[in-house]
DNA sequence: GCCGTTTTCGGCCCGACTGTTTTCAGTCG
């Protein structure tokens, strides 16, 4: 089947958004949104459900939406959506991305001021047209202007997960061409695993005789708008660098290099500039001739077959791409003080997981089975707490009922230990929303901020530190509270929080959700230096999201963390010892 | 439009916050 559950989910979301702006029935709209959410997080095989005519088994999908889905699959389009698109301008959905603007205000902006996209909005703001609209005022105008500014800034970047999806797509395309390609590698900030990227770089090792053909093939790929520029690199025997613009505006640079030049090209194209400069300096002190384009001129006596050999020639241990930011890694390598960076295989359990007791989409047993399938030795079930109504947070009674099921799981599955936990809300006062008695029954307590984001820095810092100091709190969840490309971190003095976490032996989370990555790499590094222990968790709401663990690992690696800084690399016994000791 | 009935209608995640109002609509999480 050409179309996936995800594609259909996107179409339904778009339909719902346009219906909202148009001003359709609110409940009809939420029905489409609900169905879109279900499809996005579908764990069953969509094609199988479709073929066996069991679409209505998907939660939120009734006869009506099942017919809608069939229309999308069979016709490749949707009549209702096409009609809305004729009526409303292309860019209007983008307005909903701007903080302060929802469907009602977008409706008003369009029908009263003919604002149909972000550019129109910018002009209207400059003309001062918005403040005069009924229901709008000066403060709102200011808020929208600020939201617009941030929106435009966010648009310049793509997130690491989007970049990796894109990369695997183009890799698949390259494999499908008739050109004989030796190897394909990510490069640049994608290889260094930065959380946000301005462009995607890659290195393709291909015989120089085939480079022209590959260039032509690439121009046929559906996602490439055009190959804007092609230049050659003298340093690499006239290898080609293709600068492409994609149809969604993303910039893609592809370095076509002959197999013999691969190690050098990979090093150079991975960067960062600062790291390469440090390597150049190091080469100089060893008496190598410097090379304006490369790192140094290597004599023929040194046999360079892979990237590692280059570092060896410089008398350095291999430096992983995640550390190549020119932040002291070369000096640390010289002294043998590089961290023992964690890898996916070091993770022994996930300590932040939701189930359908709160806002997860799978039941507790399915989440346990998913963790077993990943080979984990332990898992903490940490659903939302009572005050988070929107996520259906658990009452103490529900928490007790969940504890019984967890005990059943521990009886049933001997390959894993399941911990009773919670992700409790840190209320604006710094108190948690469960009593001490309730919390004391649990094996693991995560405390997170989910409301009252607008406190001052001082208030927010005191609030979080109060939770850090609470002896029943083991981990502070997503401590900075940012959502990449959509919400800034709340204003909080993270250095003070880290200091407090160190002295109270409270752990901080590295939340692996690609839109969070919170702590970020810089604060993770600081926390590590201060002796704070961290947990790399997925915050999974379904088993598929266990896969996100790698994004948190990336943060840990970029943050110079050592395996031992991360508590969920511990064995089951070590982990249990750690938790019981820190609570003393 | 979905869903679960007190089963073919009536409610739908729900409360806080903000700004524009002058009593509440809209947004957000």
């Amino acid at each position: 089947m050409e179309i996936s559950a995800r594609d259909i989910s996107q179409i339904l979301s778009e339909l719902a958004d346009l219906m909202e702006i148009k001003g359709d029935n609110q409940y009809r709209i939420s029905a489409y949104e609900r169905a879109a959410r279900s499809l996005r997080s579908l764990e069953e095989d969509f094609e199988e459900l479709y073929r066996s005519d069991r679409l209505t088994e998907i939660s939120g999908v009734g006869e009506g939406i099942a017919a809608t889905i069939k229309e999308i699959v069979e016709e490749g389009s949707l009549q209702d959506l096409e009609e809305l698109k004729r009526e409303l301008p292309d860019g209007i959905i983008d307005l909903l991305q701007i903080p302060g603007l929802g469907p009602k205000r977008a409706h008003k902006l369009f029908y009263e001021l003919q604002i149909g996209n972000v550019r129109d909005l910018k002009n209207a703001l400059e003309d001062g047209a918005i403040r005069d609209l009924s229901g709008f005022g000066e403060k709102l105008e200011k808020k929208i202007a600020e939201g617009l500014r941030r929106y435009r800034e966010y648009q310049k970047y793509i997130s690491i997960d989007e970049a990796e999806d894109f990369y695997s797509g183009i890799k698949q395309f390259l494999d499908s061409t008739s050109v004989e390609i030796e190897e394909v590698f990510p490069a640049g900030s994608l290889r260094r695993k930065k959380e946000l990227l301005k462009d995607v770089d890659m290195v393709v090792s291909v015989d120089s005789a085939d480079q022209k053909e590959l260039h032509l093939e690439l121009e046929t790929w559906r996602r490439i708008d055009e190959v804007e520029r092609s230049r050659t690199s003298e340093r690499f025997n006239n290898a080609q660098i293709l600068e492409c613009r994609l149809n969604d505006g993303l910039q893609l640079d592809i370095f076509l290099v002959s197999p013999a030049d691969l190690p050098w090209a990979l090093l150079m194209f991975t960067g960062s500039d600062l790291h390469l400069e440090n390597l150049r300096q190091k080469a100089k002190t060893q008496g190598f001739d410097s090379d304006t384009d490369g790192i140094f001129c290597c004599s023929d006596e040194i046999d360079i077959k892979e990237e590692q050999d280059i570092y060896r020639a410089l008398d350095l241990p291999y430096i992983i791409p995640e550390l190549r930011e020119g932040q002291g890694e070369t000096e640390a390598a010289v002294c043998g003080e590089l961290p023992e960076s964690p890898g996916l295989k070091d993770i022994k359990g996930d300590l932040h997981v939701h189930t359908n007791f709160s806002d997860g989409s799978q039941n507790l047993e399915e989440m346990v089975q998913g963790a077993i399938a990943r080979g984990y030795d332990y898992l903490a079930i940490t659903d939302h707490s009572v005050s988070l109504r929107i996520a259906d947070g658990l009452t103490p009674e529900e928490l007790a009922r969940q504890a019984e099921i967890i005990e059943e799981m521990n009886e049933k599955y001997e390959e894993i230990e399941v911990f009773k936990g919670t992700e409790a809300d840190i209320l604006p006062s710094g108190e948690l929303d469960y009593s001490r008695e309730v919390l004391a029954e649990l094996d693991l307590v995560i405390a997170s901020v989910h409301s009252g984001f607008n406190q001052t820095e001082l208030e927010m810092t005191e609030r979080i530190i109060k939770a850090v100091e609470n002896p029943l709190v083991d981990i502070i969840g997503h401590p900075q509270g940012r959502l990449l490309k959509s919400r800034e971190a709340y204003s909080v003095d993270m250095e003070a929080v880290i200091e407090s976490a160190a002295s109270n032996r409270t752990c901080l989370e590295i939340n692996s959700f690609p839109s969070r990555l919170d702590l970020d790499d810089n604060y993770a590094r600081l926390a590590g230096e201060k002796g704070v222990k961290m947990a790399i968790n997925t915050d999974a709401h379904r088993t598929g999201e266990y896969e996100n663990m790698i994004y948190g690992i990336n943060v840990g690696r970029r943050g110079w963390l050592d395996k031992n800084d991360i508590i969920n690399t511990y064995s089951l016994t070590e982990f249990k010892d750690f938790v019981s000791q820190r609570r003393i």
Side-chain angles (χ1 to χ4, degrees), chain A residues 175-429:
Chain A
D175 288 341
S176 73
T177 65
S178 54
V179 184
E180 217 168 291
I181 290 167
E182 292 262 338
E183 280 180 290
V184 183
F185 287 95
S189 44
L190 175 61
R191 186 160 178 246
R192 303 199 310 276
K193 312 280 186 193
K194 279 187 80 162
E195 59 198 23
L196 292 175
L197 295 77
K198 279 198 165 154
D199 52 23
V200 171
D201 297 328
M202 57 195 293
V203 174
V204 178
S205 149
V206 55
D207 207 86
S208 47
D210 294 325
Q211 288 183 9
K212 184 72 199 157
E213 198 187 337
L214 186 60
H215 180 158
L216 293 173
E217 286 270 6
L218 274 165
E219 287 186 322
T220 69
W221 192 43
R222 64 184 168 85
R223 288 202 57 182
I224 290 186
D225 220 18
E226 59 170 331
V227 177
E228 282 185 316
R229 207 151 70 102
S230 154
R231 54 194 171 94
T232 54
S233 162
E234 280 179 36
R235 169 73 167 77
F236 296 106
N237 305 312
N238 296 321
Q240 277 196 76
I241 301 169
L242 306 178
E243 295 176 6
C244 315
R245 200 183 60 236
L246 304 182
N247 40 31
D248 57 3
L250 183 71
Q251 178 78 28
L252 166 72
D253 290 354
I254 307 178
F255 201 172
L256 304 180
V257 66
S258 65
D261 289 328
L262 180 66
W264 285 101
L266 196 54
L267 182 81
M268 298 294 297
F269 228 46
T270 297
S272 64
D273 290 344
L274 223 48
H275 177 74
L276 295 179
E277 183 51 36
N278 290 342
L279 292 187
R280 232 172 249 126
Q281 293 300 330
K282 178 79 172 68
K284 215 167 161 184
T285 60
Q286 285 176 237
F288 288 113
D289 285 338
S290 70
D291 172 336
T292 47
D293 203 9
I295 303 295
F296 58 92
C297 293
C298 203
S299 77
D300 292 341
E301 288 159 30
I302 305 175
D303 192 14
I304 305 286
K305 284 205 167 58
E306 50 186 10
E307 217 182 22
Q308 276 87 337
D309 297 326
I310 302 174
Y311 285 95
R312 199 170 300 135
L314 289 173
D315 227 358
L316 290 172
Y318 180 66
I319 299 176
I320 58 170
E322 292 90 327
L323 288 173
R324 299 182 198 168
E325 295 291 351
Q327 302 290 323
E329 68 278 6
T330 313
E331 296 85 335
V334 169
C335 313
E337 285 171 0
L338 286 173
E340 194 188 336
S341 304
L344 204 49
K345 63 176 188 339
D346 296 314
I347 297 295
K348 299 292 194 295
D350 201 326
L351 301 172
H352 185 165
V353 169
H354 296 273
T355 74
N356 60 4
F357 263 86
S358 65
D359 62 347
S361 50
Q362 286 180 281
N363 67 35
L364 206 154
E365 182 157 17
E366 287 169 325
M367 295 311 287
V368 170
Q369 287 169 339
I372 293 172
R374 289 184 72 84
Y376 287 156
D377 297 331
Y378 48 90
L379 175 74
I381 302 295
T382 55
D383 271 313
H384 289 290
S385 56
V386 63
S387 65
L388 201 62
R389 308 294 303 168
I390 193 172
D392 209 8
L394 277 61
T395 61
E397 293 72 32
E398 287 169 322
L399 198 58
R401 169 73 193 122
Q402 184 176 65
E404 287 171 21
I405 298 179
I406 291 174
E407 276 162 27
E408 284 168 27
M409 293 297 113
N410 281 326
E411 291 279 317
K412 186 168 172 183
Y413 299 101
E414 57 187 30
E415 55 273 64
I416 196 163
E417 181 148 342
V418 186
F419 298 127
K420 298 165 201 162
T422 181
E423 182 184 15
D425 261 44
I426 305 175
L427 301 173
S429 64

Side-chain angles (χ1 to χ4, degrees), chain A residues 13-49:
Chain A
S13 291
E14 190 181 3
L15 179 65
D17 283 345
L18 289 176
M19 284 166 70
E20 271 200 296
I21 296 171
K22 177 85 193 301
D24 212 317
N25 176 291
Q26 191 52 52
Y27 297 114
R28 203 166 153 244
I29 294 164
S30 357
Y32 283 112
E33 282 171 345
R34 201 163 42 234
R37 262 200 310 276
S38 292
L39 280 160
R40 194 167 47 237
S41 61
L42 192 70
E43 290 289 334
E44 295 103 17
D45 183 3
F46 172 72
E47 195 168 344
E48 173 60 30
L49 285 172

Side-chain angles (χ1 to χ4, degrees), chain A residues 533-552:
Chain A
K533 298 292 181 194
M534 279 156 273
I536 302 183
N537 296 328
T538 62
D539 200 353
H541 288 66
R542 55 190 176 88
T543 51
E545 288 173 356
Y546 283 144
E547 300 283 333
N548 288 337
M549 184 61 81
I550 186 64
Y551 298 114

Side-chain angles (χ1 to χ4, degrees), chain A residues 399 420-422 424 432 434-445 470-474 579 583:
Chain A
L399 198 58
K420 298 165 201 162
T422 181
L432 302 193
Y434 286 136
S435 68
R436 292 179 60 87
E437 292 70 31
V438 170
L439 293 171
E441 290 295 312
L442 299 170
D443 303 313
L444 191 84
V445 174
N470 186 330
L472 289 163
V473 171
D474 300 295
V579 174
R583 283 190 174 194

